[in-house]
């Protein structure tokens, strides 16, 4: 059990270091679109939550699994919405035809 904890801690530290190094090399203007895209990739959390809910046996486990599914779905949907808004910001603006300048 202790070895599994150290392994999990090692993987967490490695992921944090890798994430920091990847983000540090991205230009600042792309941070928000990158974060919204990675937020959408977190949809895998939704799959994990559904699997955990499927294996839940007690009422408490089912409640926690249900809450996890709701939060993960909200996270994935939020990533989609933020990505859409960011992509709208990169489109050229339309000028009004025949309007006053």
């Amino acid at each position: 059990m202790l070895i599994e904890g150290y392994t999990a801690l090692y993987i967490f530290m490695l992921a944090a270091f890798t994430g920091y190094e990847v983000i540090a090399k991205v230009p600042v203007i792309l941070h928000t679109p990158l974060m919204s895209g990675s937020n959408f990739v977190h949809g895998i959390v939704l799959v994990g939550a559904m699997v955990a809910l499927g294996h839940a046996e007690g009422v408490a486990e089912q409640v926690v699994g249900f809450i996890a599914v709701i939060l993960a779905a909200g996270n994935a949907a939020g990533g989609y919405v933020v990505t859409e808004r960011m992509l709208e910001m990169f489109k050229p603006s339309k000028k009004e035809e025949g309007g006053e300048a």
Side-chain angles (χ1 to χ4, degrees):
M1 183 71 173
L2 187 62
I3 298 297
E4 293 175 3
Y6 282 127
T7 302
L9 180 63
Y10 174 73
I11 291 172
F12 175 75
M13 291 173 48
L14 189 61
F17 177 75
T18 303
Y20 177 78
E21 287 297 318
V22 169
I23 295 299
K25 298 196 183 330
V26 174
V28 174
I29 194 168
L30 295 178
H31 278 188
T32 303
L34 179 66
M35 289 297 106
S36 63
S38 65
N39 203 13
F40 171 71
V41 171
H42 285 150
I44 193 69
V45 174
L46 177 60
V47 174
M50 289 191 298
V51 169
L53 180 60
H55 291 290
E57 294 179 0
V59 173
E61 291 177 356
Q62 290 175 344
V63 169
V64 171
F66 180 74
I67 291 171
V69 168
I70 294 297
L71 292 176
N75 188 24
Y80 239 141
V81 170
V82 170
T83 301
E84 182 69 24
R85 289 190 68 191
M86 289 294 115
L87 291 176
E88 287 291 326
M89 292 175 65
F90 288 107
K91 289 183 179 176
S93 60
K94 297 178 183 175
K95 293 185 178 182
E96 295 180 24
E97 295 181 18
E100 298 178 15

